[in-house]
């Protein structure tokens, strides 16, 4: 009789533990789902804030587009340092700098080129989807080019197409657009 009661108790205990584990798994699954939703909502708010900040920087003519990738005319691309590859505008003074990793030579001392100029013909447009296009002509001693920046909606991710006026060696920089005060770039020697 004691064996039967003991066996029944073990049986009931195992059923109870099984139900508790099932309940625990469902609770954990719901908790993970809730955490994921909170994380997505937080990320969405951060991206919206970064987008608004980038749009205001474009409107104020005080921005830096830090590039982490350079794409060339025939589709080749290279990953680069965002501290040494950028397009900036501060009031009317523009700078375009490209420097390749591992190269110590070049006119700017960083393995690339740095050109300063003045921006003119600045245009700002917003499409129906909310994406921003910002364009300007940059003219100076070492540069005469058209720069077109595309800013993606709800993010500070941007691309900058740089098209020289005297040849067809267009390059595209891809990265993030920031206000000048939030940028951490290193400028080499310019022309």
């Amino acid at each position: 009789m004691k064996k039967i009661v003991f066996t029944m108790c073990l049986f009931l205990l195992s059923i109870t533990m099984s139900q508790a584990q099932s309940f625990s798994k469902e609770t954990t699954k719901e908790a993970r789902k809730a955490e994921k939703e909170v994380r997505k909502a937080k990320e969405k708010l951060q991206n919206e804030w970064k987008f608004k900040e980038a749009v205001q920087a474009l409107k104020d003519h005080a921005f830096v587009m830090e590039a982490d990738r350079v794409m060339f005319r025939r589709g080749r691309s290279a990953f680069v340092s965002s501290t040494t590859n950028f397009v900036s505008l501060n009031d009317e003074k523009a700078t375009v700098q490209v420097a390749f990793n591992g190269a110590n030579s070049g006119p700017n001392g960083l393995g690339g080129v740095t050109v300063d100029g003045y921006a003119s013909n600045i245009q700002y447009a917003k499409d129906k989807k909310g994406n921003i296009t910002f364009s300007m002509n940059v003219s100076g001693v070492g540069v005469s080019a058209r720069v077109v920046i595309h800013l993606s909606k709800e993010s500070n991710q941007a691309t900058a197409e740089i098209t020289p006026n005297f040849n067809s060696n267009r390059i595209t920089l891809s990265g993030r657009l920031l206000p000048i005060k939030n940028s951490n770039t290193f400028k080499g020697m310019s022309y």
Side-chain angles (χ1 to χ4, degrees), residues 105-132:
S105 62
N108 66 359
L110 301 172
V113 177
T114 303
V115 289
D116 290 325
Y118 289 94
S120 63
N121 196 19
I122 296 173
Q123 298 174 344
Y124 174 92
K126 185 175 186 178
D127 67 12
K128 293 179 184 178
K129 294 180 181 179
N131 300 314
I132 306 296

Side-chain angles (χ1 to χ4, degrees), residues 10 15 21-22 31 33 35 44 46 50 56 63 79 87 117-118 122-123 127 132 135 137 146 150 160 168 180 187 190:
L10 281 176
I15 290 174
Q21 286 177 346
S22 174
K33 186 177 178 181
E35 286 176 16
K44 183 178 178 183
Q46 287 175 338
K50 289 176 184 178
Q56 190 59 48
F63 67 85
F79 289 98
V87 173
Y118 289 94
I122 296 173
Q123 298 174 344
D127 67 12
I132 306 296
S135 60
N137 291 332
R146 180 84 176 148
H150 301 281
S168 60
I180 284 182
K187 184 176 171 186
S190 62

Side-chain angles (χ1 to χ4, degrees), residues 46-47 71 95 97-98 115 134 146 165 168 183:
Q46 287 175 338
N47 285 339
M71 293 162 280
T95 301
Q97 176 171 290
V98 181
V115 289
F134 181 91
R146 180 84 176 148
N165 293 335
S168 60
S183 177

Side-chain angles (χ1 to χ4, degrees), residues 82-86 97 110 114 184-188:
S82 62
T83 58
T84 56
N85 292 272
F86 62 89
Q97 176 171 290
L110 301 172
T114 303
N184 187 26
T185 56
F186 179 78
K187 184 176 171 186

Side-chain angles (χ1 to χ4, degrees), residues 154-181:
E154 296 180 3
S155 163
N156 67 344
Q157 295 299 306
T159 59
E161 296 173 10
I162 304 164
T163 308
N165 293 335
F166 302 119
N167 61 43
S168 60
N169 293 331
R170 185 185 78 192
I171 63 170
T172 303
L173 304 177
S174 177
R176 59 193 182 131
L177 196 136
L178 304 167
I180 284 182
K181 64 183 179 191

